[in-house]
Amino acid sequence: MSAMTLRELLAADTTAFHSAASGWEGLAEDLDNTVESYISSTRDLGHVWSSGPAAQQAQTRVAKLRREISNAYQPARQIFHALDHHAYALGDLQRQAAGIIERAREDGYVIDETTGQVTARTGERTSGSVDAELRAVQSYADQLTVVVDRARSLDEQTAAELRRHLPDRDTGFGDLRPRDVSRQEVEQVRGRPPQEVAGWWYSLTPEQQEQVLAQFPDLIGSLDGIPASDRDTANRALFGGMKDDLQRREDELNRRITELLLQPAASLNERNANLRLAEELRRDLADIDAQQARLGKVDAALAQLGDRGYLLGLDTAGDGRAIIAVGNPDEARHTAVWVPGLGTTLDSTKGNVERVMHLQEAADVLTPGRAGDVATVMWLGYDAPELDLSVALEERSRQGAGPLVNFVDGLHATHLDGSTHLTVVGHSYGSTVVGEAALSGNLRADDLITAGSPGTHADHADQLMADPRHVWAGSATDDPVSNPTGNPYSVGALAGAHGTALGGLTEALVAAYDDGHGPSPHTDQFGANRYTVDTHGHSDYWNSGSESINNQARIVVGEYSATTIDHGQRPPDLP
């Protein structure tokens, strides 16, 4: 049993344990980065130097070193957790002991901090008061004994945990290959809360993480709770596979069409049959061309971002879904998640990414000396409505609310120091998705921004956030969605704002779009801050240099006092 005394408990320096924990956390992160770099730089060794005794020896040594570095990561991380837990638990025990001592002294008892002995008050006593004082003395002594015993137990548990993760004197951390993670294990993680997903991911060694990324990118890429850089790795592998598969299918279809057209026919019927089949294959080819064009929009957006781009989600089913970050949200001090609205598909990716890129650039210049302190995310993680009855109904926004909540939870779970300031921005119907997520009470956002909103399904800003000063709404005076009154309002104006064909819409459907989602959040009665907008129409809120985007950037970095507003009450600036 540990020999810790009450005096030692009271004098213990928890700051030193916090500092040591931080050092081990940094070491674990460095090991993770090192092994990732080492694996990527030596991955092709067997291909470029594949034969001969020297080649075999080199590959063996590379694998051994890779595994030992990888195997050192988990012990370092577990030591960090042990010291971190020890620091917080020890601080709590110190406060408990100090509270007991303070209450005892207020009652007139004397405490020996070396032995923990409690001495009764002096003076005349009746027999009844003596018994009461003895019981009180015993009670205070017992309480202190329990706290000191807990401190001793904590001391022993932490010491044992530290010893358990130290390297072996002869073999270090070993070079045994860690067990492979199965697809079934990864599938079982899907659907868990992002915090649990993050815990599972960090429980793997870097080599296991590398194995999962290489073998199951389709499972990892969309998993909230996986760090942004790893999701990007998985999704880019998935993206490359999609493009390669489409190219193979295109080549095969072209080959078959050519064969059918050149194939000698024994009869006119056979010739006509070949022509009909070739025409069917051309329709399949046109579909593949369309898919390639849609992926090309994603490719162009990522190319424009370069090293700043992170592909956090990709799905080509239906209209398609994509999540793309400008900057790494796990490292940024300020992160904004931007939710697009009506008519958004993969075809819209490049233009939407340019909007969040402009927002990131406008916000990042407000944190001088800290480049990369802001990340923005284009989150098309739901099936946005088309210009039909779906835009007037709540179903799509309700379907999108849960995934948005999970994504935001995932950003919190993977942020390196947990101190991110997070803003969620909704454009058009995207603001109804944000509203539904906020109304659930589970959206962990510090600020909400809407632009061109038809309504958020809330009647007042305090339904979206406990402090309505952190709800911000913007509306251009000639926006046909958020400001229909007094505008040349028509179906055509709404369709044109979204670049959407009219189809069979009627004025009644347009009215339903505005009336079906609650009051506009930029009105006085709603209770939000209306930030100044100097842009026109429904889609220009993120024009570079505009007061509209500059105001949103100020909100994203917490410079509320600099935000120009038409009405409302600004909260205090972030420190």
Side-chain angles (χ1 to χ4, degrees), residues 362-564:
D364 206 28
V365 298
L366 298 177
T367 58
R370 294 178 290 175
D373 205 35
V374 178
T376 55
V377 183
M378 190 278 289
W379 187 85
L380 179 58
Y382 80 113
D383 184 13
E386 294 74 37
L387 199 55
D388 56 22
L389 187 60
S390 65
V391 77
L393 302 178
E394 300 179 0
E395 182 181 2
R396 299 287 181 90
S397 60
R398 288 175 176 168
Q399 290 173 349
L404 178 59
V405 166
N406 279 347
F407 180 76
V408 170
D409 280 349
L411 294 181
H412 284 288
T414 58
H415 196 270
L416 292 181
D417 63 10
S419 62
T420 186
H421 168 244
L422 204 144
T423 303
V424 180
V425 186
H427 177 220
S428 188
Y429 191 91
S431 68
T432 69
V433 178
V434 174
E436 281 289 338
L439 287 169
S440 73
N442 298 318
L443 183 63
R444 296 173 61 192
D446 300 293
D447 286 281
L448 299 181
I449 301 175
T450 69
S453 173
T456 62
H457 301 161
D459 295 321
H460 194 272
D462 61 11
Q463 294 176 269
L464 301 178
M465 297 199 75
D467 185 350
R469 295 178 300 172
H470 288 278
V471 181
W472 310 78
S475 174
T477 57
D478 57 353
D479 186 333
V481 173
S482 56
N483 253 331
T485 304
N487 285 320
Y489 189 51
S490 66
V491 180
L494 180 59
H498 290 278
T500 308
L502 285 176
L505 279 183
T506 64
E507 293 284 353
L509 178 56
V510 174
Y513 181 33
D514 282 300
D515 297 338
H517 299 301
S520 296
H522 65 276
T523 60
D524 289 343
Q525 298 86 344
F526 191 76
N529 293 320
R530 178 172 180 173
Y531 61 90
T532 301
V533 170
D534 59 345
T535 57
H536 294 281
H538 186 59
S539 302
D540 291 341
Y541 292 96
W542 296 275
N543 286 356
S544 291
S546 66
E547 187 68 359
S548 173
I549 196 172
N550 288 337
N551 275 328
Q552 293 179 66
R554 292 162 187 148
I555 297 164
V556 167
V557 300
E559 291 188 4
Y560 307 122
S561 62
T563 307
T564 60

Side-chain angles (χ1 to χ4, degrees), residues 151-173:
R152 290 170 177 169
S153 177
L154 173 67
D155 197 42
E156 289 187 344
Q157 290 171 5
T158 301
E161 187 72 2
L162 297 180
R163 286 192 296 268
R164 191 163 72 88
H165 294 292
L166 291 176
D168 183 86
R169 186 182 300 275
D170 298 321
T171 63
F173 290 107

Side-chain angles (χ1 to χ4, degrees), residues 80 219 562:
F80 149 64
L219 300 180

Side-chain angles (χ1 to χ4, degrees), residues 25 46 239 279 441:
E25 183 181 30
F239 188 32
E279 187 59 32

Side-chain angles (χ1 to χ4, degrees), residues 250-270:
E250 180 184 43
D251 293 343
E252 175 62 17
L253 284 173
N254 280 322
R255 184 190 65 78
R256 291 179 62 193
I257 290 170
T258 300
E259 284 183 352
L260 286 169
L261 295 178
L262 296 179
Q263 180 178 313
S267 66
L268 180 60
N269 286 341
E270 184 179 340

Side-chain angles (χ1 to χ4, degrees), residues 160-275:
E161 187 72 2
L162 297 180
R163 286 192 296 268
R164 191 163 72 88
H165 294 292
L166 291 176
D168 183 86
R169 186 182 300 275
D170 298 321
T171 63
F173 290 107
D175 62 355
L176 293 177
R177 178 182 176 84
R179 65 170 183 83
D180 280 350
V181 180
S182 68
R183 186 177 184 87
Q184 182 181 14
E185 180 179 341
V186 183
E187 288 174 338
Q188 289 173 347
V189 175
R190 291 166 66 85
R192 293 186 191 175
Q195 194 68 43
E196 291 185 17
V197 173
W200 167 78
W201 184 253
Y202 290 126
S203 74
L204 304 178
T205 69
E207 196 166 7
Q208 287 175 315
Q209 292 174 352
E210 183 76 12
Q211 174 243 318
V212 170
L213 289 172
Q215 294 183 5
F216 315 123
D218 57 317
L219 300 180
I220 293 297
S222 60
L223 203 51
D224 296 323
I226 300 295
S229 59
D230 295 318
R231 285 181 73 162
D232 179 67
T233 297
N235 283 310
R236 287 186 189 259
L238 188 63
F239 188 32
M242 289 178 182
K243 291 190 292 184
D244 290 345
D245 181 59
L246 287 173
Q247 188 60 57
R248 283 193 296 270
R249 291 167 60 191
E250 180 184 43
D251 293 343
E252 175 62 17
L253 284 173
N254 280 322
R255 184 190 65 78
R256 291 179 62 193
I257 290 170
T258 300
E259 284 183 352
L260 286 169
L261 295 178
L262 296 179
Q263 180 178 313
S267 66
L268 180 60
N269 286 341
E270 184 179 340
R271 178 60 177 169
N272 289 337
N274 287 345
L275 291 175

